[in-house]
C-alpha cells in the first residue's frame, strides 16, 4: 500500500469507522514503524487523534487482511 493511500472504508457512521485493512500495515503504531492504519485514518478523521490507539477497537496482525473497527468517540 502506498504511504499516501487511505484504506477502503467499508462502513462509517457517527460512532464507528470500519476499514478493510490490507496486509503489510500495522493497525496501531509500532516503535520505529511506518504510519499505522489508525494514524492514516486520523489524517481524514481528526477526532481519532484524541483517542487511545486512534480509536482501534481491536487489532489484526501486520500480515493479516480483514475488517478493523475504529471508534470515533469514547462512548
Amino acid at each position: 500500500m502506498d504511504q499516501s493511500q487511505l484504506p477502503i472504508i467499508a462502513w462509517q457512521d457517527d460512532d464507528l469507522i470500519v476499514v478493510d485493512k490490507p496486509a503489510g500495515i500495522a493497525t496501531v503504531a509500532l516503535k520505529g514503524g511506518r504510519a499505522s492504519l489508525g494514524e492514516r485514518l486520523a489524517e481524514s478523521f481528526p477526532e481519532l487523534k484524541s483517542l487511545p490507539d486512534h480509536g482501534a477497537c481491536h487489532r489484526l496482525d501486520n500480515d493479516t487482511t480483514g475488517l478493523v473497527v475504529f471508534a470515533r468517540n469514547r462512548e
Side-chain angles (χ1 to χ4, degrees), residues 3 6-7 14 19 27 31 33-35 44 48 55 58 60 65-66 73:
Q3 285 286 66
L6 275 178
D14 291 340
V19 178
T27 304
K31 289 184 180 179
R34 295 180 301 174
S44 296
L48 300 180
H58 63 97
L60 293 177
T65 62
N73 54 60

Side-chain angles (χ1 to χ4, degrees), residues 5 14-15 17 20 26 33-35 37-38 42 44-45 50 66-67 70 72 75:
Q5 188 179 20
D14 291 340
D15 298 312
I17 304 168
D20 187 7
R34 295 180 301 174
L37 186 60
S44 296
F45 299 93
S50 66
L67 297 177
F70 288 83
R72 296 181 77 173
E75 292 77 37

